[in-house]
Every structure is written in structure tokens, then in C-alpha cells.
Amino acid sequence: MSHPVSDSAGIPFAGRTLTPSPFAGDDGAADAALAAALGPGPGGADVAAVHAALLEARVFVPVIAVTGDHGDADAVSGDAGADMALPVLRAPDGREALPVFSCTQTLTRWDARARPVPALARRAALSAVGEGRQLMVLDVAGPATAVIPRPALWKLAKGEAWVPAPRDDEVVAAVAVAATAVAGVVSADVAPGQRAEVRVVLAVRPGLDRGALERLVRAVSTGLGADEVVTERVDSFEIDIIAAPG
């Protein structure tokens, strides 16, 4: 007597509809638009261009054996009893990031033992957001690396375009309103930061002493942190002070 053929869970194969893999025949090369966005260029990767390319790109998510020998830099997430798990990178500020790779070559450059799992970048971003990751790092071992900040990661997960905060008119307006609500601030401008995503330049009334300036900066920081547009669209900010003209 014959028995129906089934999988390892005992579920028969009969009657199933098998969907072809969208990555069948994938040669592991980087998506052309993504490779172009990554550079190389004199200023490094343009994160906005990388994000735009990622909306339609395939990336590789690494899966590694849970052996505990990847050092302190990589924290492994997932079921501790599993044989394989997704690695998690930690940013200097403690936030967790999902590493992804444009091609198998850059993944192998990072860890030759990692298994490359192809996925649409937006699906990888959705998974990262669901797991509470704040960042995505593309090609962490180079030759060109792009860090996708939290607001861009959320947009990627939704399949939506992203405008960097310094170029976002609504962010610029929200920063100006929140900052100039603090006594002593004459005006506020937004520019790309050196230590953070956004540099907020405050033009303040001349004559304020050190203590007054420190209180002013704390008040502005609190106001920015309470603004819905800023908290949603700005990953991090730094504050500089200049004297207002006159």
C-alpha cells in the first residue's frame, strides 16, 4: 500500500501550489542601480541615492551559525537553541542595526562563514523594524558602506521615498518654530551634521553668559525632542551657536 509523500512535518505535498523563487538564477552580483549609488565617490555613498535604489533592489541578509565566537561587536539575535540566526550590529550609541549586503562578494568580505539569503531590501527593512532595529548597515566591511538611519529605514519598510532631514522643508520649518520659541534664540538654520544627521545652528542674542547659553541649549533640545515632525524624521541632531547680527 502506497503512502502519500509528505514533508518533514508530515504534511502531504499533494495539492500544494509551489511558487517559483523570485531569486532563481541569481548570480549574487549587486543590483546595478544600488552599485552606482554606493560609489565609489569622493564624499562616500550618497545615502539618499542608496535609499532610492534600495526601494527596488535585492540584497543579501546574512545568516550565521550560533557559535558565540563572533566577538563583542556582533550580538546574535534569535532562538538560542537554533543552529542559525541573524546577526545584529551595535552602533556606538547602543542602537541595534541589521547588516545587509549588496552582493555575495561584500558579504563574504565581512564573514566568509555567513550564509547569504536573498531578499528584497524593503522586506528586510520591514523585518528589521519589526524586530526593533533602529538602523540598517549596507556592506559594513566595504568597500563602500551606507548607514540607513531610522527615519529612512521606516520609509524603506513602507516602500516609500525618503528625503534626508536637512533637505526636508517641513523639518526645517519645525526646527525654526521650536527653536525660536526659546527666549534668546533669534533664528535657527538646519544643515547636515558632522557628529549627527542634522546640525541645528542657533543665532542667539549677543551678551548671554555661559550659564544662560547652556540653559538655552537645553531648552531648545527639549523643544526639538517634543516636536512630532522632528522626532519622526530626524535621526539625531547636534546644536551649534552663533551670535545673531547686531
Side-chain angles (χ1 to χ4, degrees), residues 142-220:
T145 300
V147 177
I148 308 301
R150 172 185 53 82
L153 180 62
W154 289 358
K155 286 289 191 179
L156 180 58
K158 296 177 184 178
E160 297 176 355
W162 167 71
V163 178
R167 306 179 202 168
D168 189 326
D169 292 340
E170 292 185 12
V171 169
V172 174
V175 167
V177 170
T180 55
V182 175
V185 178
V186 177
S187 65
D189 290 325
V190 169
Q194 294 182 336
R195 304 177 304 278
E197 181 190 16
V198 167
R199 177 174 173 247
V200 178
V201 182
L202 305 177
V204 303
R205 177 170 51 83
L208 297 177
D209 61 25
R210 183 181 182 87
L213 289 174
E214 290 177 349
R215 290 190 294 273
L216 180 149
V217 169
R218 286 197 296 269
V220 170

Side-chain angles (χ1 to χ4, degrees), residues 211-236:
L213 289 174
E214 290 177 349
R215 290 190 294 273
L216 180 149
V217 169
R218 286 197 296 269
V220 170
S221 295
T222 299
L224 294 176
D227 187 273
E228 185 174 332
V229 171
V230 175
T231 55
E232 179 182 338
R233 303 190 193 181
V234 178
D235 184 62
S236 57

Side-chain angles (χ1 to χ4, degrees), residues 22-23 31 34 50-61 98 100 118-130 136 138 148 152-161:
F23 306 109
D31 174 87
L34 182 56
V50 170
H51 184 275
L54 284 172
L55 287 170
E56 302 297 332
R58 179 271 293 129
V59 295
F60 289 99
V61 179
L98 174 69
V100 297
L120 291 174
R122 60 180 182 270
R123 294 296 298 271
L126 184 62
S127 176
V129 170
M136 176 185 282
L138 179 65
I148 308 301
L153 180 62
W154 289 358
K155 286 289 191 179
L156 180 58
K158 296 177 184 178
E160 297 176 355

Side-chain angles (χ1 to χ4, degrees), residues 16-83:
R16 295 191 195 183
T17 299
L18 301 179
T19 303
S21 168
F23 306 109
D26 194 320
D27 63 1
D31 174 87
L34 182 56
L38 280 168
D46 181 334
V47 178
V50 170
H51 184 275
L54 284 172
L55 287 170
E56 302 297 332
R58 179 271 293 129
V59 295
F60 289 99
V61 179
V63 178
I64 60 175
V66 181
T67 60
D69 61 355
H70 277 255
D72 295 335
D74 299 342
V76 178
S77 68
D79 182 357
D83 293 329

